[in-house]
Amino acid sequence: MKKILSLFFSILISFAAFSPAFAVDKVKRNYYEIREMQTRVFETNNRILVMKAVINTLQDNGFIIQNIEDELGFIRAKKEVKLKRTNKKRATAYSAALTLDLMSYAVSFGTNAYALYNLCIDYKRLANEIDPHTVIFDSNVVIEPFGKNTKVRFSVIEKELENGDGYTIVKSSPRKVVRHYEADMYQEFFNQVGKNLFIEKI
């Protein structure tokens, strides 16, 4: 029995220590810096051609087009994926609760039904916290004339949904929303748009 408890506690400690950090751009940026980072001007006045290149780029990156307003030059797209988003504090709390449930159940020599019930629930909560979460990337693109050129502004918001505590469902309301301001991400997107624009011109 002692060996089993020791092994179980070791597993709990491993679970509590498992907390992949989610890198968020914490650099303070003003409105103009953000706007400049999210905007690129392409040397063509063919807005439709640029729009096609943007649509192809979004689809190449796994986005599903949700809405296109041709006259306004507006595109909305969404990408849904499963990613590791473990919250260290929650995982630690569930591990602690699971440990107490196990101790209570062990002390009662397996006769405490309430402790067994809590043991199952807290185990499921911990498993749901460690399991990959559904993450939705919402993107908006505005394409408009800019003199003899065409200007594109691209923005991304990440919504992390929560696995239902104690169940296998996914809650629709996000537990975390992140606005992405990583310059490299926008640079890569516009580079891909440029390549697709070149292909469209051929």
Side-chain angles (χ1 to χ4, degrees):
M1 184 65 177
K2 289 183 179 179
K3 289 183 179 180
I4 294 175
L5 288 175
S6 177
L7 177 61
F8 194 81
F9 290 150
S10 298
I11 295 173
L12 289 180
I13 293 172
S14 299
F15 281 164
F18 180 78
S19 57
F22 176 40
V24 179
D25 185 15
K26 298 181 180 180
V27 178
K28 296 291 183 180
R29 303 178 189 274
N30 61 43
Y31 172 80
Y32 298 103
E33 289 175 328
I34 294 172
R35 186 170 186 173
E36 182 180 2
M37 177 178 56
Q38 295 177 338
T39 305
R40 176 70 63 85
V41 175
F42 293 93
E43 296 180 352
T44 177
N45 61 357
N46 193 330
R47 188 172 64 87
I48 300 301
L49 200 66
V50 174
M51 184 172 286
K52 288 181 179 179
V54 168
I55 291 172
N56 286 331
T57 301
L58 288 168
Q59 292 179 330
D60 289 344
N61 285 279
F63 283 86
I64 298 174
I65 306 300
Q66 301 290 301
N67 186 30
I68 297 178
E69 295 290 344
D70 186 37
E71 293 184 3
L72 299 176
F74 174 79
I75 301 172
R76 180 175 178 269
K78 182 176 76 171
K79 179 179 180 179
E80 185 174 315
V81 294
K82 286 280 190 177
L83 297 173
K84 283 287 186 179
R85 291 291 186 265
T86 302
N87 184 296
K88 184 177 180 180
K89 290 182 179 179
R90 289 188 180 208
T92 302
Y94 293 149
S95 296
L98 195 57
T99 301
L100 292 175
D101 296 334
L102 180 62
M103 292 175 64
S104 177
Y105 186 68
V107 169
S108 69
F109 296 100
T111 60
N112 190 335
Y114 182 71
L116 178 61
Y117 171 79
N118 286 337
L119 185 66
C120 295
I121 292 298
D122 288 328
Y123 173 79
K124 189 60 181 177
R125 286 176 174 174
L126 179 60
N128 282 346
E129 184 59 42
I130 293 174
D131 285 345
H133 287 71
T134 299
V135 178
I136 296 174
F137 294 92
D138 270 329
S139 68
N140 292 325
V141 186
V142 177
I143 304 165
E144 57 186 351
F146 188 71
K148 295 182 179 181
N149 302 316
T150 302
K151 182 169 64 175
V152 178
R153 184 173 183 183
F154 171 62
S155 61
V156 178
I157 296 177
E158 176 183 329
K159 299 175 183 177
E160 177 189 332
L161 304 187
E162 182 167 20
N163 294 342
D165 291 346
Y167 305 92
T168 56
I169 62 172
V170 176
K171 296 181 180 179
S172 58
S173 58
R175 76 171 180 179
K176 188 175 183 181
V177 177
V178 178
R179 295 182 180 274
H180 281 280
Y181 300 133
E182 298 89 350
D184 291 345
M185 181 187 70
Y186 290 101
Q187 178 72 32
E188 177 61 26
F189 175 80
F190 289 127
N191 287 343
Q192 292 182 30
V193 172
K195 292 177 182 178
N196 280 319
L197 184 58
F198 176 77
I199 293 173
E200 289 290 337
K201 288 180 179 180
I202 296 177

